[in-house]
Amino acid sequence: MELLAKETSGLLLVQVLEDRIDAAGAIQFKDRMRALAAHGPQRVMLDMSRVLFLDSSGLGAVVAVMKLLGPDCRLELSGLSPSVEKVFRLTRMDSVFTIHPALPEELRDAG
């Protein structure tokens, strides 16, 4: 699972460079996120703009990462494709995560 991370003033920006987070890559995704967030940032922004497909295993992996980060860290999502957004909406996970339609302007140069 290819992820690109950059830290800027208390925020860890992680870009998913894959077009799928599914059963085949869910464990790798969790492991990579665990390694990237090991130092305990207060806020993690997951840019999912390249992800076109997310299955239940992928959704479970994103939720697992949120739990892994702990209560003192916020996991925010950005750039969900319509099909990925639908998965979050149908499972009501859109009420659990802060979801930005696109990467916030102030973070675009960070990635």
Side-chain angles (χ1 to χ4, degrees), residues 16-37:
V16 181
L17 302 178
E18 306 281 342
D19 62 354
R20 306 172 66 90
I21 304 176
D22 56 15
I27 292 172
Q28 287 180 322
F29 172 77
K30 285 189 291 189
D31 290 344
R32 287 280 294 129
M33 286 297 295
R34 179 181 295 118
L36 291 171

Side-chain angles (χ1 to χ4, degrees), residues 2-23:
E2 194 173 351
L3 304 174
L4 178 65
K6 180 165 183 163
E7 188 159 1
T8 168
S9 62
L11 173 98
L12 178 64
L13 172 60
V14 179
Q15 294 176 298
V16 181
L17 302 178
E18 306 281 342
D19 62 354
R20 306 172 66 90
I21 304 176
D22 56 15

Side-chain angles (χ1 to χ4, degrees), residues 75-88:
L75 177 61
E76 301 177 33
L77 310 175
S78 72
L80 303 185
S81 69
S83 61
V84 171
E85 181 182 17
K86 186 176 182 179
V87 171
F88 278 87

Side-chain angles (χ1 to χ4, degrees), residues 25-96:
I27 292 172
Q28 287 180 322
F29 172 77
K30 285 189 291 189
D31 290 344
R32 287 280 294 129
M33 286 297 295
R34 179 181 295 118
L36 291 171
H39 67 284
Q42 290 189 339
R43 187 174 165 214
V44 175
M45 176 74 65
L46 188 59
D47 178 3
M48 298 179 65
S49 57
R50 293 189 188 184
V51 179
L52 302 175
F53 179 80
L54 180 87
D55 68 3
S56 60
S57 296
L59 178 63
V62 174
V63 172
V65 167
M66 178 186 69
K67 291 179 179 180
L68 167 93
L69 293 173
D72 296 331
C73 181
R74 287 187 319 190
L75 177 61
E76 301 177 33
L77 310 175
S78 72
L80 303 185
S81 69
S83 61
V84 171
E85 181 182 17
K86 186 176 182 179
V87 171
F88 278 87
R89 191 175 64 252
L90 290 174
T91 59
R92 299 188 180 214
M93 286 289 113
D94 60 341
S95 65
V96 173

